[in-house]
Amino acid sequence: MAQQATILNVQRFTLHDGPGIRTEFFLKGCPLRCDWCGNPESFTRQPEVGVFANRCISSELCDDCKLVCHDLQMLIFTDSKLDSIDRKQCSSCLECAQVCPSEAIRPWGHSMTVDECMKVIIQDRGFYERSGGGVTVSGGEPLLQSDFVGQLFKACKQQGIHTCLESSLYANWNKIESLLPVTDLFISDLKLMDSQRHKQYTGVDNHKILENLITLSATNKPLILRIPVIPNINDDEDNIKASADFILQQMQGKVRTLQLLSFMRLGEEKYQSLGLPYKMQDLKFDRAAFQKKVEKIAVYFNQRGIHCMIGAKEKAEL
């Protein structure tokens, strides 16, 4: 049986997750639940449907979803428009999403084999060669489907294509180790240094992540580290200093670039489509003052000898 994975999205011609022009595969499923995550559709491994009520034409004009649904009690209508789905009863067969003419019901996730992914990659190969780009696998958490990643990256290396893995590194080390021979670049996060606060805001403690970062840095594999800077959560002096100390002392400074990603209020509509609460809904902050703070944080890291930049665009190494 061909190796396959649950893919959330394939983004072509991306410039922000690795050098050059890239083709990026977002794999579905993640063990973390970061409060600020803008991609809640990546949480679960299995495909699921998203409901965008404002796009519904009205059941009086269109009843396609009713015709294919195996249990009409799962479809919840308000004023003749689809409002939500009873997810406890829904089997995620996705038939309603396949027939909806207005994309009021959208499928989140589909299966792709390594061969199917490679067909897309080969189409874009000329862009990699001209820009120093390649293929990035992200998530969700791609290490949940590490066997697939390994097979895909092996196929890429056979074609001489640069590979990049973007991961939280919340996994057993053996999964990461198995990918070392076929991965050219790693991208990971340093969200919070305090383990209890890390668990409070992401759902898991950071012990495994920090251990894997230390072990990975010892392999001398190229590593880009990112800090998603979140107002009033990890932008305080203690956390920033602890992050710098960890990079310099525990990782021996073996980070190619530290990227600061300023918080953006993203994904609210996607949370609504899945019937999930958006935990950053009540966060209020001054955008201009916050951005100045991020700039000062970047200066601090650079003064300590850590190459730091704001944003995620990486230059190609031609």
Side-chain angles (χ1 to χ4, degrees):
M1 183 176 178
Q3 186 73 48
Q4 62 181 15
T6 307
I7 305 287
L8 185 61
N9 185 30
V10 181
Q11 186 172 337
R12 301 170 71 184
F13 316 119
T14 183
L15 299 170
H16 295 94
D17 292 321
I21 298 173
R22 310 191 71 79
T23 305
E24 187 161 8
F25 296 85
F26 294 85
L27 274 57
K28 206 169 183 312
C30 184
L32 277 64
R33 293 293 182 269
C34 302
D35 283 5
W36 54 86
C37 182
N39 298 298
E41 73 279 15
S42 71
F43 288 168
T44 62
R45 173 82 175 266
Q46 68 274 16
E48 56 192 330
V49 296
V51 177
F52 296 84
N54 61 330
R55 301 179 191 175
C56 181
I57 296 173
S58 167
S59 61
E60 296 177 353
L61 300 174
C62 170
D63 60 359
D64 289 2
C65 59
K66 291 183 177 180
L67 293 175
V68 298
C69 185
H70 303 295
D71 183 355
L72 293 182
Q73 298 300 316
M74 291 189 293
L75 302 175
I76 302 171
F77 288 84
T78 301
D79 296 329
S80 299
K81 287 194 174 186
L82 183 65
D83 181 67
S84 60
I85 289 177
D86 184 346
R87 296 185 182 276
K88 292 182 180 179
Q89 302 298 322
C90 181
S91 65
S92 294
C93 69
L94 304 183
E95 290 186 24
C96 57
Q98 293 168 4
V99 301
C100 181
S102 63
E103 294 189 344
I105 309 176
R106 176 176 174 176
W108 293 122
H110 62 280
S111 294
M112 288 185 74
T113 65
V114 170
D115 288 344
E116 288 171 335
C117 292
M118 288 304 298
K119 287 181 181 179
V120 178
I121 290 167
I122 295 302
Q123 290 176 2
D124 295 344
R125 184 171 184 170
F127 295 100
Y128 314 150
E129 293 172 349
R130 290 193 290 272
S131 69
V135 171
T136 297
V137 174
S138 183
E141 176 47 69
L143 290 176
L144 289 178
Q145 304 183 70
S146 59
D147 289 344
F148 173 86
V149 177
Q151 290 299 314
L152 179 62
F153 279 4
K154 182 180 179 181
C156 287
K157 298 316 296 176
Q158 289 172 347
Q159 297 289 331
I161 296 171
H162 183 276
T163 58
C164 172
L165 180 70
E166 183 178 10
S167 166
S168 70
L169 299 185
Y170 186 77
N172 293 333
W173 171 252
N174 66 311
K175 289 191 174 184
I176 303 166
E177 187 176 34
S178 69
L179 297 176
L180 291 177
V182 291
T183 306
D184 295 311
L185 172 66
F186 287 84
I187 299 176
S188 191
D189 286 353
L190 197 60
K191 304 181 198 311
L192 277 154
M193 293 307 301
D194 182 87
S195 183
Q196 290 185 346
R197 296 186 68 222
H198 193 284
K199 186 171 184 178
Q200 176 185 351
Y201 290 109
T202 73
V204 301
D205 66 45
N206 62 4
H207 293 136
K208 185 176 291 187
I209 294 170
L210 298 184
E211 289 174 0
N212 285 334
L213 281 172
I214 294 170
T215 306
L216 181 59
S217 64
T219 69
N220 292 318
K221 276 284 182 178
L223 171 65
I224 293 173
L225 202 55
R226 292 173 170 173
I227 297 179
V229 186
I230 316 299
N232 308 320
I233 291 180
N234 68 347
D235 60 343
D236 57 282
E237 291 184 10
D238 288 346
N239 185 67
I240 298 305
K241 181 181 182 300
S243 299
D245 290 344
F246 176 78
I247 292 169
L248 294 172
Q249 297 170 14
Q250 301 298 315
M251 298 181 65
Q252 305 301 311
K254 294 179 180 178
V255 173
R256 187 164 92 179
T257 304
L258 175 64
Q259 299 174 342
L260 304 183
L261 308 183
S262 303
F263 170 74
M264 301 289 289
R265 196 183 297 276
L266 299 172
E268 291 182 70
E269 187 180 25
K270 290 190 285 187
Y271 277 91
Q272 293 174 5
S273 81
L274 292 163
L276 297 173
Y278 181 58
K279 295 182 179 180
M280 307 301 283
Q281 182 69 44
D282 297 327
L283 177 65
K284 294 179 173 60
F285 64 101
D286 184 288
R287 169 61 62 182
F290 173 65
Q291 197 55 39
K292 287 182 179 179
K293 187 172 188 178
V294 174
E295 292 170 2
K296 290 182 179 179
I297 293 172
V299 169
Y300 171 78
F301 280 116
N302 279 303
Q303 287 177 340
R304 292 201 60 182
I306 300 169
H307 178 247
C308 182
M309 59 181 285
I310 299 173
K313 190 171 182 178
E314 180 76 5
K315 293 182 179 180
E317 293 187 342
L318 298 174

